[in-house]
Amino acid sequence: MKTILVLFALVAAVVAQKEPWCRCGIFINFDDEQELVYTLENIIIDDCVASAEACKTGCAAEINEFTNDGDLWSLTSSGETVGQAICTKMAAAEHHHSHHYIHNRNVYGYFGLCAGPWEYADVKSQQMLCCEDGVHAHCHN
């Protein structure tokens, strides 16, 4: 009985030490999948149960700050457009499915609470994203 109580206490201690996290990402919808194309800094939250709204609003604010409220032609702190930052990531060889050409795709902001699924953060780009051989380009129909 004492062994079971000690084991229970150890499991409870390990579970209590898990640090909650909130991840923020930018996605593009393709015909057959949704793909994470850019990740941003994690948001600090208190716990994995009561912090869903804090995670969502924190990620929305971070994504809106990075994209200047969804403007893909806005310049990032490194001097490239938001769209170019995404196109560069999409064309990189280490990206899951490197995409050199993207035509007329909206960009969406999502949040992920702890080990849960990605959820829409009510953030959408102002313009469609187009990448021509990894270079951010104006979209033409």
Side-chain angles (χ1 to χ4, degrees):
M1 180 71 166
K2 188 175 182 178
T3 305
I4 292 173
L5 289 175
V6 171
L7 182 59
F8 182 78
L10 282 172
V11 170
V14 169
V15 170
Q17 288 179 0
K18 282 192 174 181
E19 191 171 321
W21 76 93
C22 170
R23 54 202 166 133
C24 306
I26 295 174
F27 282 74
I28 293 177
N29 294 337
F30 291 99
D31 294 335
D32 58 346
E33 69 177 339
Q34 243 180 351
E35 193 168 331
L36 175 64
V37 296
Y38 201 90
T39 56
L40 296 154
E41 291 293 318
N42 288 347
I43 302 293
I44 297 171
I45 56 172
D46 294 329
D47 63 59
C48 293
V49 178
S51 296
E53 191 60 32
C55 181
K56 179 181 179 179
T57 57
C59 279
E62 187 169 321
I63 294 164
N64 280 326
E65 182 180 334
F66 173 71
T67 65
N68 192 24
D69 294 323
D71 182 2
L72 299 179
W73 290 98
S74 171
L75 294 179
T76 66
S77 60
S78 65
E80 64 185 347
T81 65
V82 171
Q84 183 58 55
I86 296 170
C87 290
T88 298
K89 289 261 189 194
M90 294 293 295
E94 66 271 3
H95 193 268
H96 180 63
H97 298 113
S98 63
H99 297 280
H100 293 271
Y101 295 92
I102 296 175
H103 184 67
N104 289 340
R105 299 290 177 178
N106 280 310
V107 175
Y108 299 95
Y110 278 75
F111 70 99
L113 181 63
C114 298
W118 287 100
E119 296 181 56
Y120 183 51
D122 295 327
V123 177
K124 178 181 168 189
S125 60
Q126 294 176 22
Q127 309 89 4
M128 299 280 217
L129 177 67
C130 288
C131 304
E132 300 290 331
D133 200 19
V135 176
H136 186 207
H138 287 280
C139 294
H140 304 284
N141 292 332

